[in-house]
Amino acid sequence: QVQLVESGGGQGQPGGSLRLSCEGSGNIYRINNMAWYRQAPGNERELVASITRVGETNYADSAKGRFTISRNNAKNTRTQQMNNLEREDTAVYLCYAEVEVSAYYGFEYWGQGTQVAVSS
């Protein structure tokens, strides 16, 4: 079994910062692509940022210049630094990972999500 556990969400103010973390545990052989998604009430789940195992990153237009995704392969963790928060960033943030559980099998996993609420 593989688990992804998010932490670091909560209340933020417009213009402020929050830092999200996600740690993978369990039967992990290797984690390939990792990403943060978010889903606001009434909206579709959307990709916020992704990072490959070698550190190549991709950001949604709404996150560019404000969010930074990073990862630590040795610890199976990734973080997302969110600066200059906007009310529109309010959502449940979910971490996603493509996990190889052996040299032959890989699966997609999701965390339970962490709430981010931005208000003054």
Side-chain angles (χ1 to χ4, degrees):
Q1 284 283 6
V2 172
Q3 285 190 320
L4 301 178
V5 179
E6 300 100 336
S7 61
Q11 182 75 35
Q13 292 187 334
S17 299
L18 285 173
R19 186 178 179 88
L20 305 181
S21 296
C22 179
E23 181 174 4
S25 63
N27 185 29
I28 296 174
Y29 175 73
R30 182 168 57 195
I31 299 180
N32 293 319
N33 292 335
M34 307 173 86
W36 286 100
Y37 284 75
R38 69 185 181 188
Q39 188 163 18
N43 289 358
E44 299 274 331
R45 184 174 295 183
E46 62 175 353
L47 175 68
V48 178
S50 64
I51 185 167
T52 68
R53 182 167 179 80
V54 296
E56 297 166 329
T57 57
N58 180 54
Y59 295 93
D61 287 343
S62 60
K64 287 178 181 176
R66 300 189 299 123
F67 295 1
T68 302
I69 187 171
S70 59
R71 64 186 288 170
N72 183 321
N73 290 335
K75 297 182 178 180
N76 291 326
T77 60
R78 113 284 304 267
T79 60
Q80 177 165 280
Q81 179 68 37
M82 304 189 298
N83 297 328
N84 194 19
L85 290 168
E86 301 173 354
R87 288 181 174 82
E88 293 74 20
D89 295 322
T90 296
V92 174
Y93 285 71
L94 304 105
C95 68
Y96 162 90
E98 297 170 359
V99 180
E100 293 180 20
V101 297
S102 73
Y104 305 100
Y105 295 101
F107 303 94
E108 298 179 339
Y109 290 91
W110 292 89
Q112 293 292 316
T114 184
Q115 177 71 51
V116 169
V118 182
S119 64
S120 56

